[in-house]
Every structure is written in structure tokens, then in C-alpha cells.
Amino acid sequence: MSEFDDLRFKHDFMAFAQQPTDVLEGALLVSRLVEPDLDAEWCRQELGALAARVGMGADAPTIVSTLKAEGFRGSDQYRLLQNSSLAHVLRTHEGIPISLAMVVLSVAKDIGLAGHGINFPGHFMVEVEATLIDPLAMDLVDELARRRWLKKVKRSDSEAFVVASPLATVVRMLNNLSGLALGEKDFEGALEFSGYKRLLAPRDLGIIIERAQIWFAAGGKDAARDTLKTALGLAPNDMVRAQIEQQIAELESSGRTLH
């Protein structure tokens, strides 16, 4: 039996991993983890209605001003799983940066504008037709604000404003969910969310090691060890391999934490 056989939407995530071209479809998959009975067609219709209100031929600033006028904004209850559900965002007009970004990107696509996510550290952003947008504030990011963001994270422009592929965007949405679950010591939930990340990026060493850490925190020492052994096979060099071997040794000696 595979460690992923218990995942409710295993085949849907695997299908997305094979053809990760539509970020909205990926976001709807993540939304189903929060709301299993999600009406995806309703979400698409709501997004289409928003695009119609923006209007064909509109530009990025018009998208932002229209969505802001519609009341889209950051949630006052930031640490809610529901904020990662697109249906919840469309019902309440509140969300977190990455879920609000999905609204912006969907509207942009529907009116014929090119857009993509920006994997900024700690704060997902959007770029539509070379216009940078902060979806949480639902506002444009001018050059002065851009420099302030860079100063805050102490990164170069090329390091901080990285284009997020649809696959990377969905993994980041799952990161939010697993982080919230861990904060509540919901290890079962954290393992489920990390399992979907493994399906999307099966050779991502960071995801595999994170999964071992969750197993260890949950008391699954054997599963943690087996997962670290999987990571050993993907180590890119001797230094990383030695670090993983040290973690396995610490686990075997019943150390309390994996570093």
C-alpha cells in the first residue's frame, strides 16, 4: 500500500502534476482540501462575472481598482484554513495574498491579459502585463514600494521577485495549509497536505525532509526514518547526504528534534 493511498484527491493532484498549466484549476484543487463539497463551477462563474464587470480591453490598474471597489481585501482572521479556499474568498471577498492573487490572475486571463504569480518571500504577489500588484492590499506596487519590499527581505530584485509557475503556486498554497495545521498540532492534517506536495514535486528534497519532521513530531519514528532514507537517495552531493545521515542517527538515538 502506498503512503499516498489515503489521500482523498490523489488522482486529481497527480493529473495536475502531469499538466500543470492552469493555476486556477490547481487553486480549485487546494480549495477542495478545505471545502470537500466545493462547487468549482460556481467559482468559475463568479470569476467570469467579475471579469465581465472589469471588461474586455481593461488594463491591470482597472482590474485592481474594480476588485478593490468590489470589496476584495485581506482577511481580518488571517490564520484560517478557509482563506485558502477560493470559494470562501469569492463569498466573503476576503483572503490571504495567494488566494486573492488567484482572483486577480483569473480575471486577467478572462479579459485577455497575461499574468503570473510572483513568489516573493512571505508575501505572494502578482504581475499582470508588467504591472506588479499586491493582492492583499489590492493595490499597485510602484517603484518606491518595490524598493521597500526588497529592503524588508534583504534580497536582490532577481532573488525576491521570482515568477511562480502554476505548480510552484499550488505548492505554496499547500505550504500555508500545512503550516496552519502544524501550528494547531494537527499532525494528521499536516501529513495530508505534505502528501499532496509530494505528489506534485516527488523529488523535492525540502518537502521530503519536512515530511520526515512532521512524522517525527507526530510520534511516527519509523515513518520518519523511512522518509529520511528516501531523502538520502535524492541528496545532490556528499555534504547534503552527510547532513541527512546525521538526522537519521539523531532520530535513532531518540533525539527530540530533527534540525
Side-chain angles (χ1 to χ4, degrees):
M1 178 175 172
S2 165
E3 64 174 309
F4 306 118
D5 285 347
D6 290 337
L7 296 180
R8 295 169 292 173
F9 306 113
K10 169 186 174 181
H11 297 294
D12 296 316
F13 273 85
M14 289 176 67
F16 178 76
Q18 290 170 5
Q19 198 169 16
T21 55
D22 190 335
V23 72
L24 174 62
E25 293 308 309
L28 288 171
L29 281 179
V30 174
S31 300
R32 288 173 67 193
L33 302 182
V34 181
E35 299 185 49
D37 297 326
L38 177 88
D39 187 341
E41 187 55 36
W42 177 83
C43 292
R44 295 187 189 98
Q45 290 173 359
E46 286 295 303
L47 290 165
L50 285 170
R53 290 199 283 279
V54 173
M56 294 297 294
D59 57 9
T62 303
I63 293 175
V64 170
S65 61
T66 302
L67 291 179
K68 195 165 191 173
E70 292 278 343
F72 284 93
R73 66 186 186 91
S75 174
D76 292 330
Q77 302 180 71
Y78 204 79
R79 296 186 63 78
L80 283 179
L81 286 178
Q82 288 87 342
N83 285 327
S84 291
S85 167
L86 195 52
H88 175 80
V89 174
L90 291 169
R91 287 193 301 265
T92 65
H93 291 195
E94 295 184 3
I96 54 177
I98 199 165
S99 57
L100 290 165
M102 297 304 99
V103 177
V104 176
L105 288 174
S106 179
V107 169
K109 181 180 179 181
D110 281 356
I111 66 171
L113 298 183
H116 51 254
I118 296 293
N119 231 344
F120 192 86
H123 193 100
F124 199 82
M125 297 190 194
V126 175
E127 193 170 62
V128 175
E129 298 288 344
T131 299
L132 188 62
I133 298 166
D134 174 2
L136 188 69
M138 201 53 72
D139 208 353
L140 306 180
V141 179
D142 61 20
E143 188 55 36
L144 180 60
R146 187 184 182 101
R147 289 199 297 270
R148 284 199 300 265
W149 280 108
L150 288 173
K151 184 177 180 180
K152 181 179 180 180
V153 298
K154 298 178 181 178
R155 304 276 184 91
S156 69
D157 193 286
S158 61
E159 290 173 325
F161 292 101
V162 178
V163 173
S165 69
L167 192 65
T169 299
V170 175
V171 168
R172 183 158 174 167
M173 295 184 81
L174 291 166
N175 283 341
N176 289 335
L177 290 176
S178 60
L180 289 174
L182 283 173
E184 297 295 325
K185 297 190 183 303
D186 175 12
F187 300 122
E188 183 178 349
L191 284 168
E192 179 184 5
F193 298 137
S194 77
Y196 287 114
K197 286 192 283 184
R198 280 273 282 131
L199 287 176
L200 295 179
R203 298 185 65 82
D204 188 303
L205 195 58
I207 291 174
I208 297 171
I209 291 175
E210 174 199 70
R211 188 166 173 80
Q213 292 170 334
I214 298 171
W215 272 118
F216 186 64
K221 184 175 176 179
D222 290 344
R225 182 184 59 247
D226 291 345
T227 304
L228 285 175
K229 286 182 177 179
T230 298
L232 268 180
L234 297 173
N237 54 55
D238 289 342
M239 183 177 72
V240 173
R241 184 177 180 85
Q243 291 172 344
I244 298 171
E245 288 173 339
Q246 182 179 352
Q247 290 186 27
I248 294 173
E250 289 176 359
L251 185 149
E252 293 289 5
S253 64
S254 299
R256 289 183 175 272
T257 56
L258 291 172
H259 301 290

